[in-house]
Amino acid sequence: MRSKSHRRIRGREPVAAKVPEITALFWVIKVLTTGMGEATADFLAGVNLVLAAAIGVFGFAGALWLQLRTQRYQAPVYWFAVVMLAVFGTMAADGPPIGHLGSAIFYALVLAAVLYRWRRSEGTLSIHSIVTSRRETYYWATVLATFALGTALGDVTASTLHLGFLPSGLMFAAIIAVPAIARWRFGLGEVAAFWLAYIVTRPLGASFADWLGKPHDRSGVGLGDGVVSAAATVVIVALVGYVTITRRDIQRGGELPPAVIAQPMQRDAPQGRALR
């Protein structure tokens, strides 16, 4: 007879892939969330730093708790977690008192450590393999590290190198095309291409959000962070509503076989071996 603790563990295990299929719409929503997160964090910080910290920390914790409790990909829950990670990641990047370049180096090392541990533990970094709780934990740790690193990189180009927001955004728009071209023309692996592009989405979206929201004396258009945050939120809600209804971002073949769901997980072994 199985123990109660085992049943609780099994109750939290996914029964299908926990992340969306990678389509053009995925990248559009992802870039919008980075811009929205940047603008929201800056807007809240301008209102009240304590309020900003509370929303960032508790919103991040609550959204991730909801995502980890689901057993399959649900677009509203998943993208809510990404949005709150975007807000929290902005604050995390600004946290260490080591300057923009120091933060970029620090979070690059953190990201490398997380990816190394994930690859060594699971044998793959593919997002198409996010079908266990342990792999999902590695996935979200990686996402958080990419948000913080991307924010720091955007600050380096816009402030430390004095390029400004719009030139930084255009530069990152060109950079994000490099992994796609490398995969198309030179055979770069799917996993490497995905994560390289994923990192760049953060400074790309944040640079354009800052350009639109920041005042003229900071090389911005001057719309205001609140306006940019609200506009991005409306578009994100509309797009997430669309994919929720159409279900076009559901990974095909991402459902686990019933026999696998019914079997006890070998939690001390690599998940790739446990899911035969």
Side-chain angles (χ1 to χ4, degrees), residues 25-276:
L25 195 54
F26 169 88
W27 293 111
V28 172
I29 300 175
K30 176 61 175 62
V31 171
L32 285 170
T33 62
T34 64
M36 181 268 187
E38 176 78 10
T40 301
D42 290 347
F43 173 75
L44 292 175
V47 174
N48 186 287
L49 285 175
V50 175
L51 174 65
I55 292 177
V57 172
F58 291 108
F60 160 69
L64 201 55
W65 180 82
L66 286 175
Q67 169 63 23
L68 295 175
R69 294 286 295 179
T70 64
Q71 289 188 297
R72 67 182 73 237
Y73 167 70
Q74 297 179 21
V77 177
Y78 173 87
W79 286 111
F80 177 57
V82 173
V83 164
M84 293 314 304
L85 275 171
V87 176
F88 181 78
T90 299
M91 299 176 182
D94 295 335
I98 51 179
H100 299 319
L101 183 58
S103 292
I105 295 172
F106 172 75
Y107 285 114
L109 294 174
V110 171
L111 177 59
V114 173
L115 289 174
Y116 171 78
R117 182 60 185 168
W118 181 4
R119 180 68 174 80
R120 184 173 181 180
S121 172
E122 304 300 308
T124 178
L125 300 176
S126 173
I127 64 162
H128 294 103
S129 70
I130 312 301
V131 291
T132 69
S133 294
R134 184 160 66 180
R135 291 184 180 183
E136 187 181 14
T137 301
Y138 279 119
Y139 172 80
W140 287 109
T142 303
V143 170
L144 178 56
T146 64
F147 270 111
L149 172 58
T151 301
L153 288 174
D155 290 338
V156 167
T157 60
S159 300
T160 305
L161 299 180
H162 305 290
L163 294 182
F165 300 125
L166 181 57
S168 292
L170 295 174
M171 181 186 70
F172 286 116
I175 291 175
I176 201 171
V178 173
I181 295 173
R183 174 160 173 75
W184 171 49
R185 297 291 296 178
F186 305 105
L188 179 65
E190 177 185 25
V191 173
F194 171 81
W195 285 114
L196 287 172
Y198 198 94
I199 292 170
V200 180
T201 59
R202 175 62 192 187
L204 171 62
S207 295
F208 280 109
D210 282 337
W211 173 61
L212 291 171
K214 295 299 183 285
H216 297 288
D217 58 3
R218 296 185 57 189
S219 75
V221 174
L223 297 179
D225 292 324
V227 172
V228 174
S229 173
T233 299
V234 170
V235 178
I236 291 169
V237 169
L239 293 178
V240 172
Y242 171 78
V243 297
T244 301
I245 294 172
T246 61
R247 297 177 61 82
R248 292 187 176 183
D249 62 339
I250 302 294
Q251 285 194 31
R252 305 307 172 189
E255 191 91 11
L256 296 184
V260 172
I261 299 173
Q263 290 176 358
M265 291 291 293
Q266 303 174 22
R267 297 188 65 81
D268 293 332
Q271 298 293 346
R273 297 178 184 176
L275 297 175
R276 294 179 181 177

